[in-house]
Each structure stands twice: as C-alpha cells, then as structure tokens.
Amino acid sequence: MSTPTLTPENVLPAPVKRRIGPLEGVGHGLTLAKRNLRYVLRTPTTLIDTVIQPVLFLVVFVFLLGGAISGSWQGYLQTLVPGLMVQITMYASIGTGMALNTDISKGIFDRFRSLPIARSAPLIGAVLGDVVRYAVALSVLLVLAFALGFRIQTDPLSTLFACVLVIVFGLTLCWFSVLIGMMVANPQAVPGVAMAVILPLTFGSNIFADPETMPRWLEIWAGINPVSHFVDTVRGLMIGGPVAGPLAWSLVAVAVCHAVLLPLALRAYLRRVR
Amino acid sequence: MDTCIRASGLVKRFGRTTALDGVDLEVPTGSIQGVLGPNGAGKTTMVRILATLARPDEGSVHVAGYDALRDPVAVRGLVGLTGQYASVDDELTGRENLELIGQLLGMPGRGWKARARELVERFDLSEAGDRPVKTYSGGMRRRIDLAASLVGRPQVLYLDEPTTGLDPRSRGDLWQIVRNLAEEGTTVLLTTQYLEEADELADRIAVIDHGRTVAEGTPSELKRRTGSQTLHVRPVDPTDIDRVMGFVTDLLGTSPVLASDGVSISVPTDEPILLSSLVRRLDQQAITTDELALRLPSLDDVFFSLTGRALPGDTDEEVSA
C-alpha cells in the first residue's frame, strides 16, 4: 500500500497499537487540556467568567455590603477574601460540565472517539484545563484583593497550601459539574442545575456572614455545610486561626465527595461516549 | 483480492426501531465501496459501527484483519472517518485542528507540524489555514474535515454523505480528492443519497433500505438488474412530441412517459428492433430529433425497481458530473 504524494519517509505512522497505556492516556489528556485552554482564551465569555467574576464579587461585596455586614469594608475584606477564593472556584467549576457537554453535542467528540486515544482523554483534558482556569481566577482575585489592602497574616507557604487546597476542592466539584454536563441535553442547561446546588452551599455558609447572626435552622446548616469548614481552613492558613480541626473536616468531605462523585461522573461520561 | 472490510449480520436497534436488520458487507482492499440509500436507511448507523463509534447488537465487523468489537483501538488506528457534520473544532484554526490530531496520534518529533502543513496545502486551504474554522464556507469545512481524517494516513476511509449540501463545484472537487486517495491505495467506503455520486465514484455499490441490503454489485450490474433498457426521444420541434408518442405507442403497445422537461419521452423496452423501426417512421414523417437513444437504466430506475420507491430529494437537486 503506497501513498506517494502523502508519505515523506521520515513521518511514517507507528505500527498498529492495540492498547493504550495509562501514561499515554494522560499524555492525550494533556494535549486536549492545552486545546481547552486555547479555547478559553478565544471565547470571550469563558474568559469573562474566569476573570470578571472574581472582580465583580469582590467589588460588590466589599464596597456595597462590607460596611453593612462588618462595620467597615476594610475589616470585611480580610475575612471575605479566603471565602471568596472557595466561592469563585465553585462557580468556575460549572464551566467543566458546560465545555464537555458542548463538545459532546458537536461533532468534535466523534473525531476524538474515532482516534486511537484513551476514552478518558477528553475528560482528563477538560478537568486539567480547568485546574489552570481555577488558578487564573484565584490569581485575579488575590491580585485585586492585595491592591485593595488585603494582607496575609501567616506566611507564603501556608498561603500556597491554601491555594492548592482550594484547587483540590475545585476538582471535587468538577466531577459534580461533569455529572450534570452528562445528564442535561444542552450546555445552556448546566448552569441552572449547578446553581441550584451551588447557591445554598455558598450563601448558606460562613463565606459572606457570621452564621451566628442567622436564624437557628440556617446556622445549623452553615455549621454542617462542608464549604464552611473549607473556608475556615483557608482563613486559618491565610489570616490565622485554628487549622487542624477544619482541615481534617475538609479533607474528609473532599474524600467522601470524590468517592461518591467521581465514579458517578465517570459512569455517566462513559455512557455518553460509549 | 484481499477483503479489507468484512461485516456480517449487523443488527442495531434503538429502542423499538431497528436501524440495521442484518446487513452484510465485504469491501476489497483498495476499492471504493458505495453505500446507497435514502435518509433513515441505516447508512450512518452502519458507518458508526464500522468505525467503532457504536456497537452492533448482533453481528461481527473485521477491518484490515482486526476484530472491531474486540480490538477497537487497532481499528481506530487504521481508519479515518468523515461524518455528515464536520467533526472539527470551530474555534481552532484549520491548521490547529490538524496539528491537534497529529499530536494525539503521537506523531514523532514535529511530525504533526509537517503533516498539518502538507494537508493544508494539498486541500487548497493555505490561505484559510490560519483562520478559525467557524469562518469557513461549507466546502472548506468538508475539506478540513476530510483532511482531519487523513492526518494519520488511514488505510481505510469512511465518508458519510461527504457531499450532502455542497454546491456542484465543491462536490466535483471532493470527488476528485476521493478518486486520488483510492488511486493511492486507500480503501474507501462512501455513503450517499446521490445516485450520480455512487455511479461516479464507486467500484461496487450496496443499496440499503430499511436497514437491509436490497442489492449489491457494480454500478453496471445493478443497472442491468432492472432487465430492460430505456428508449429516450427528444424531437427538435417540441410540437412533434404528441406524434412521436403516438408512433412509439404503435410500435410497443405501451405508451411512453413524458419527461419532466415536457419535450422528451422515455419508455422501458426489451425490443431490439424498436430503434430502427422508430428511425424509419420518424424519417418518413420528416421529424428530426435532438436525442434518440437506448440507454441502460439510471440508478434511479434501479432503486425504484428494487424498493418500489423513488429516491427522495434527488429530482430538484441536479448533480453536475
């Protein structure tokens, strides 16, 4: 079989592969993650979600509500920023499900599936690409927060650890987002469903206000809400306070969520790409 | 000759509808196989199964010696697929799309870069190569999509209705590309609703309808299957048409059909001397004709005689060959 006009000698394809190793699969995932990032840069709406949202939340809550909630916006800024880091990441995770759903409802997914690459590669690509998106959103938030006067009261290493934790938390939510993305018919439906879950988790927590000021039932919920424990951890790591207790709680919550959501998301994904 | 694609007894159900109802297919290596059928006949389902994108409920598929159900990765490495809808990323440029696939295929070194450049040039996309695909015209999208399925130099190429919705010129361009690929040794399986397309390109044609193969053979074998030839007559002076119809009815005992253009007639016949008798008659009456011929039936006629239905959507959409 010869393809004269198509086949320079030095780029002959490798012999037929029958299995795809895990390492190769991760490689495919990385290639697709790069593609997804390029996509974020090219489509203004996803970029706006990632960059503008942190800015808006910070500005609205600090200047509009900070004085009312906490007496002065400067004081509020200190407690709000660690909480916003968690909240921003939760919002950003919605994009994962939307992106995957968009790909699947377009022809590009058939292309990926027709190639000899790992079945999971598009999923890995979407998730890895989003880790970068979370990091960008966090950076935007922190840079602005510093400009407004936010100060770390611990040390850089703890702060870095806090950021890593938040990204790990984002990954947990990623699976939730993937699960929704696989269940709804079109990408536009993802945010609606995701918000129904994310809103009670973010506002029913200690991110924006002290739960002691809330009605009893909401205070109980905010106490149970893993997001509150997560925020406590991040606050402890960045502005001081107890860390060990909330950290243990948070890690258990992340582990449980992973154990439940990851298999569900994978199953839903594999059913869609089968 | 080697068999490249062998499918037998393919059955695929979606809920209560049976998309494929026991399809068999054998495609020799290096040939162009046409799969002809109307919308909903099961063509796309069949291609998806052959490309490992779907699993059949029953039956087996072998591609280039590999079992597509047991060894899908091997088959994916040998096959290129161009679906009905462009399977490329709208936001990326044409070149980036090709490079992405080359990278995913693990082309060594910067091989994917060279390969993308080569395909962009070959498919006449040099100017558009660095623009996002969403700015492309229909014909350009098909070309970049086809290029995308060729990045890995597949031995087997599936084209699912590659020219549906294309203007005649783009269609002709695509036909030429397919012919070149086959000449270079690629085995091509092409589904189409266009009889002309199957006739023009395919070495062999399988006609499928309602998930079953209703006929299989070379284009001329299929045409011969209707068992008769067709007489076509078009008088120079359109007002002569009624008299011509009268003569033919006299000679054959059946009345011919007036063609949709209103100035020519056609009638199926097995009568070998009809032509000469008619020529004499027309001569006597001093009627001259623009067209007077016995022809093998068109694939339209074949499809009609095999299924009892005309192929839909083929009358107003003339294909220029």
Side-chain angles (χ1 to χ4, degrees):
Chain A
M1 191 157 297
S2 69
T3 51
T5 62
L6 281 174
T7 314
E9 293 304 315
N10 55 342
V11 284
L12 272 172
V16 174
K17 259 187 305 198
R18 306 178 70 162
R19 292 276 170 278
I20 290 161
L23 259 181
E24 254 183 308
V26 172
H28 298 149
L30 280 173
T31 305
L32 289 176
K34 267 188 278 173
R35 166 213 169 227
N36 289 346
L37 285 175
R38 208 179 296 197
Y39 191 86
V40 171
L41 288 176
R42 296 242 175 110
T43 43
T45 49
T46 32
L47 199 63
I48 286 171
D49 278 353
T50 313
V51 175
I52 307 292
Q53 269 205 33
V55 175
L56 275 182
F57 271 109
L58 194 64
V59 168
V60 166
F61 274 92
V62 168
F63 293 122
L64 195 72
L65 305 170
I69 294 172
S70 175
S72 78
W73 68 263
Q74 290 91 345
Y76 189 55
L77 182 68
Q78 287 295 314
T79 47
L80 181 68
V81 168
L84 267 190
M85 287 167 66
V86 175
Q87 195 239 13
I88 290 295
T89 312
M90 291 177 79
Y91 276 46
S93 75
I94 297 173
T96 316
M98 286 182 75
L100 267 179
N101 187 295
T102 308
D103 275 355
I104 287 182
S105 50
K106 286 190 185 169
I108 185 75
F109 228 76
D110 274 351
R111 169 72 62 205
F112 294 149
R113 292 179 54 208
S114 75
L115 295 173
I117 61 172
R119 277 273 135 118
S120 56
L123 180 63
I124 295 173
V127 172
L128 286 183
D130 273 13
V131 170
V132 179
R133 220 154 51 82
Y134 301 161
V136 170
L138 284 183
S139 310
V140 170
L141 178 71
L142 285 177
V143 166
L144 183 66
F146 285 128
L148 292 179
F150 175 74
R151 291 296 171 261
I152 293 165
Q153 280 145 41
T154 54
D155 53 286
L157 211 64
S158 304
T159 306
L160 192 67
F161 182 51
C163 290
V164 171
L165 270 182
V166 170
I167 287 175
V168 169
F169 180 64
L171 275 177
T172 321
L173 288 164
C174 232
W175 302 123
F176 172 64
S177 177
V178 169
L179 185 61
I180 298 173
M182 293 303 102
M183 291 190 314
V184 299
N186 56 58
Q188 290 79 22
V190 175
V193 182
M195 279 310 218
V197 176
I198 288 179
L199 275 183
L201 281 173
T202 51
F203 284 93
S205 77
N206 59 1
I207 293 181
F208 300 103
D210 186 344
E212 280 174 27
T213 65
M214 300 173 187
R216 185 75 189 130
W217 57 269
L218 190 56
E219 189 189 348
I220 292 174
W221 163 246
I224 301 168
N225 187 352
V227 172
S228 297
H229 298 285
F230 225 92
V231 172
D232 278 339
T233 315
V234 178
R235 282 189 182 137
L237 285 168
M238 291 178 76
I239 60 172
V243 170
L247 178 62
W249 257 107
S250 314
L251 290 181
V252 169
V254 165
V256 170
C257 287
H258 262 281
V260 176
L261 291 174
L262 180 61
L264 282 177
L266 267 183
R267 212 177 58 144
Y269 168 81
L270 288 173
R271 200 184 306 152
R272 276 293 280 267
V273 304
R274 168 56 273 152
Chain B
M1 202 184 306
D2 277 5
T3 301
C4 178
I5 306 167
R6 175 178 287 128
S8 51
L10 291 185
V11 174
K12 180 74 180 177
R13 298 180 200 92
F14 295 105
R16 279 178 160 181
T17 43
T18 303
L20 293 181
D21 194 9
V23 170
D24 301 314
L25 188 72
E26 283 204 11
V27 183
T29 303
S31 68
I32 303 182
Q33 171 77 44
V35 175
L36 178 68
N39 267 330
K43 301 188 299 289
T44 297
T45 307
M46 183 167 121
V47 169
R48 291 179 70 84
I49 289 173
L50 296 180
T52 77
L53 295 188
R55 284 180 83 86
D57 295 317
E58 288 166 40
S60 67
V61 180
H62 286 83
V63 181
Y66 291 94
D67 185 332
L69 303 181
R70 287 213 201 118
D71 246 345
V73 174
V75 171
R76 282 176 209 144
L78 297 168
V79 161
L81 169 68
T82 295
Q84 254 178 79
Y85 307 100
S87 307
V88 284
D89 191 330
D90 273 354
E91 302 295 331
L92 299 185
T93 69
R95 189 186 305 275
E96 284 168 346
N97 266 293
L98 301 181
E99 289 179 352
L100 175 69
I101 291 165
Q103 285 172 298
L104 287 172
L105 290 173
M107 295 188 139
R110 306 285 272 178
W112 45 269
K113 237 188 160 78
R115 181 64 178 156
R117 194 184 318 120
E118 191 185 338
L119 285 168
V120 161
E121 279 163 22
R122 184 178 186 196
F123 284 82
D124 212 6
L125 291 164
S126 301
E127 274 170 48
D130 294 313
R131 291 208 321 254
V133 171
K134 62 181 171 195
T135 65
Y136 283 21
S137 69
M140 286 157 77
R141 290 179 73 92
R142 292 299 169 97
R143 292 211 298 276
I144 193 69
D145 197 28
L146 184 54
S149 53
L150 294 175
V151 172
R153 296 188 182 76
Q155 295 177 23
V156 186
L157 183 64
Y158 300 139
L159 302 168
D160 190 13
E161 299 199 8
T163 64
T164 300
L166 287 191
D167 61 80
R169 213 198 109 184
S170 306
R171 187 170 291 176
D173 289 349
L174 217 115
W175 284 357
Q176 196 49 49
I177 293 169
V178 173
R179 279 193 206 102
N180 291 346
L181 285 166
E183 263 167 41
E184 290 164 19
T186 310
T187 307
V188 179
L189 181 137
L190 159 121
T191 76
T192 182
Q193 317 186 34
Y194 300 116
L195 295 154
E196 291 87 343
E197 186 158 282
D199 199 7
E200 189 76 25
L201 291 175
D203 298 312
R204 298 184 70 81
I205 297 173
V207 181
I208 67 170
D209 191 37
H210 295 305
R212 289 175 167 279
T213 312
V214 291
E216 215 279 326
T218 64
S220 50
E221 273 169 13
L222 286 182
K223 288 179 196 167
R224 231 171 284 137
R225 262 214 217 176
T226 51
S228 65
Q229 295 177 304
T230 311
L231 173 77
H232 291 269
V233 190
R234 189 170 74 222
V236 173
D237 181 354
T239 55
D240 285 337
I241 196 90
D242 289 336
R243 288 163 72 203
V244 174
M245 270 181 125
F247 301 148
V248 175
T249 312
D250 274 358
L251 290 166
L252 275 178
T254 53
S255 45
V257 181
L258 189 66
S260 54
D261 58 11
V263 294
S264 66
I265 57 160
S266 64
V267 61
T269 174
D270 279 323
E271 203 64 60
I273 59 155
L274 173 71
L275 199 58
S276 47
S277 319
L278 185 63
V279 168
R280 217 171 309 126
R281 192 69 83 82
L282 293 173
D283 219 25
Q284 285 164 5
Q285 303 292 322
I287 295 173
T288 49
T289 58
D290 277 337
E291 187 187 351
L292 175 59
L294 272 176
R295 282 196 208 140
L296 282 173
S298 73
L299 280 170
D300 273 305
D301 304 327
V302 176
F303 190 84
F304 183 78
S305 77
L306 289 168
T307 65
R309 292 183 294 122
L311 263 187
D314 215 49
T315 43
D316 52 357
E317 231 171 331
E318 269 305 313
V319 179
S320 73

